[in-house]
Amino acid sequence: QGLQINTYLEKALLPALHRQGIKNIGVFYAISNDTAAVKDIYVLTPYPNLNAKLKTDNQLLSDKIFLEDGKDYINASYDKSPYSYFETILMQAFRDAPIMQKPALSGPRDKRVYELRSYESATEKIYRNKVEMFNEGGEVVLFKRLGFNAIFYADVISGSRMPNLMYITSFEDKASRDAHWKTFVDDPEWKRLSGLPQYQKNVSKADIIFLRPTAYSDY
């Protein structure tokens, strides 16, 4: 299954999206599942707006090169599905981080660590408070100052877990990741920000997933 999906993504989908002008597409696998029977694959695709997403999907259906290159995946039979399931999450970039950024990493891809974080809140109002903490509160600026190489910060506008925000930071390796987070929690600005009364208890659940880019990922 994993091999078929990777072949489809590398040889069919990404080239087709590139032909449509969709650049900087990230394809990652979860490091924790590297040797597991189930292998999660994450595809991060940037669009300027929702209409562009819908237009792109429609154009794929008439792209003869895409349909030929991806035929094994596209025409898979009901009893040989290339995946167990997939989920589509629509996100909107934060005000203070409107454009996805390619990280300034120079080390080997097989050592890099991309950290996907998902923060849920107890209510929509409390969730908006956490988003404010990133924007007006200065959390985005703090991450940038400390060199976290963030790719994006975004509101989840449609997904299985809401209210919810997600973001990805990136590092040369696991040791760099750990060192960056130690610097973060020890930083006086974070201590001040996280101690403010208005920003208490605004995250009810936090998930952390460590990712590594595929060889063909644009990141």
Side-chain angles (χ1 to χ4, degrees), residues 11-191:
K11 304 298 185 182
L13 183 59
L14 264 67
L17 293 176
H18 289 160
R19 288 194 296 273
Q20 292 194 41
I22 307 298
K23 306 297 184 182
N24 297 332
I25 302 166
V27 184
F28 312 92
Y29 62 89
I31 296 174
S32 60
N33 284 340
D34 189 27
T35 59
V38 176
K39 296 184 180 294
D40 293 337
I41 298 175
Y42 295 78
V43 182
L44 178 62
T45 311
Y47 296 97
N49 52 59
L50 184 57
N51 284 336
K53 156 68 174 166
L54 299 176
K55 180 181 178 182
T56 297
D57 288 348
N58 288 331
Q59 289 180 335
L60 286 174
L61 298 177
S62 59
D63 184 334
K64 293 182 180 180
I65 300 174
F66 164 73
L67 296 175
E68 174 62 26
D69 291 344
K71 63 183 179 182
D72 290 343
Y73 172 95
I74 295 169
N75 299 321
S77 63
Y78 78 93
D79 57 343
K80 293 183 179 179
S81 172
Y83 49 79
S84 299
Y85 72 94
F86 72 83
E87 177 183 3
T88 299
I89 300 174
L90 292 176
M91 296 180 284
Q92 184 173 33
F94 278 6
R95 185 204 68 194
D96 280 11
I99 299 174
M100 283 173 48
Q101 301 292 326
K102 294 190 73 170
L105 301 176
S106 58
R109 281 174 176 256
D110 62 355
K111 297 296 183 183
R112 294 179 188 178
V113 172
Y114 290 67
E115 185 169 353
L116 170 63
R117 288 198 169 213
S118 169
Y119 292 168
E120 299 172 48
S121 299
T123 69
E124 292 95 327
K125 181 178 180 180
I126 296 172
Y127 168 77
R128 289 192 292 271
N129 175 265
K130 180 57 185 176
V131 174
E132 177 190 297
M133 189 176 179
F134 271 93
N135 289 315
E136 288 85 353
E139 197 167 345
V140 169
V141 174
L142 178 58
F143 275 118
K144 185 174 182 179
R145 174 168 64 80
L146 296 179
F148 270 70
N149 276 309
I151 295 176
F152 75 87
Y153 304 88
D155 291 288
V156 174
I157 60 175
S158 180
S160 60
R161 296 181 175 182
M162 298 181 71
N164 180 211
L165 69 85
M166 303 179 81
Y167 66 99
I168 291 181
T169 52
S170 58
F171 313 91
E172 296 287 1
D173 51 35
K174 183 63 163 54
S176 175
R177 179 264 176 196
D178 293 345
H180 275 80
W181 275 108
K182 184 179 188 309
T183 300
F184 181 90
V185 298
D186 291 339
D187 191 271
E189 176 59 20
W190 172 245
K191 291 182 180 295

